[in-house]
Amino acid sequence: MRTNYEAKYIPEPNSGCWLWLGQVNQHGYGRTRLASGRSQVAHRAVYEAYHNIVVPADLELDHLCYVRCCVNPDHLEPVTRSVNVRRAIRHNRGRNISEADSRCPNGHSMVGDNICVRKQGKTISIICRTCARAARLRWRNSPKGRLLQSECDARYLANRKRKTA
């Protein structure tokens, strides 16, 4: 499908990327101005024009090729923020991660399955799964944690007894 953005990118024959020739922001993503006058990242505008759909606001477009200025719709996939962040960490995208940076303050490796993406409101945190597990166990073994756990167990048993009766 033809779009009105074709003059603003150039196909790169080896990778298949469509490299954005227009304005690029400080993070390396292309920017474009829509007909409404609103500014938008170029890869989202091209994806929506190419597929003739609107990507929901709660989804982001992940660059499967890892090239930020690429606007090829075949290299983009709509995903949640959590998935996009997790993929970026797994592939060391988003920032330059050295071996020293890829460890938590306690020295655990922060790659692969030892990362945990936690969402609290609009904030997304990347934490060490080993440290999170240890903190959870410390809380459960604290007096307050044991009290809450016993209350939950009591409610569970009461509900179970009520359902079987």
Side-chain angles (χ1 to χ4, degrees):
M1 169 168 205
R2 294 182 60 83
T3 67
N4 58 348
Y5 296 107
E6 288 182 0
K8 294 197 174 194
Y9 65 81
I10 185 168
E12 200 284 314
N14 296 320
S15 66
C17 289
W18 297 355
L19 304 177
W20 186 251
L21 299 174
Q23 179 188 5
V24 177
N25 69 15
Q26 69 271 23
H27 303 293
Y29 295 100
R31 300 289 302 172
T32 188
R33 193 155 306 279
L34 303 175
S36 64
R38 194 171 59 94
S39 180
Q40 187 179 42
V41 286
H43 60 277
R44 188 177 191 105
V46 172
Y47 185 90
E48 290 178 349
Y50 188 84
H51 289 292
N52 200 23
I53 61 166
V54 174
V55 178
D58 61 333
L59 295 180
E60 298 179 352
L61 292 174
D62 185 20
H63 286 85
L64 301 175
C65 59
Y66 312 130
V67 178
R68 291 180 177 184
C69 65
C70 176
V71 295
N72 185 343
D74 295 333
H75 292 191
L76 302 169
E77 180 184 6
V79 295
T80 63
R81 174 113 176 109
S82 179
V83 169
N84 200 7
V85 168
R86 188 181 307 267
R87 286 180 181 175
I89 293 167
R90 286 226 168 99
H91 297 286
N92 288 342
R93 290 184 286 156
R95 62 185 175 99
N96 293 328
I97 300 176
S98 68
E99 185 61 33
D101 290 338
S102 63
R103 299 202 169 274
C104 77
N106 293 323
H108 304 122
S109 174
M110 289 283 288
V111 293
D113 291 333
N114 195 41
I115 58 169
C116 185
V117 178
R118 180 173 290 159
K119 184 175 180 183
Q120 296 172 326
K122 290 187 175 185
T123 304
I124 294 181
S125 305
I126 296 123
I127 59 173
C128 170
R129 190 177 299 273
T130 304
C131 291
R133 189 176 295 123
R136 197 168 43 250
L137 287 173
R138 278 194 310 275
W139 184 84
R140 281 187 186 160
N141 292 329
S142 71
K144 186 175 182 178
R146 282 196 301 268
L147 177 65
L148 289 175
Q149 188 62 42
S150 64
E151 287 177 9
C152 290
D153 291 343
R155 275 192 237 129
Y156 171 76
L157 292 173
N159 285 338
R160 191 170 174 188
K161 190 182 263 187
R162 199 172 342 129
K163 286 181 182 176
T164 58

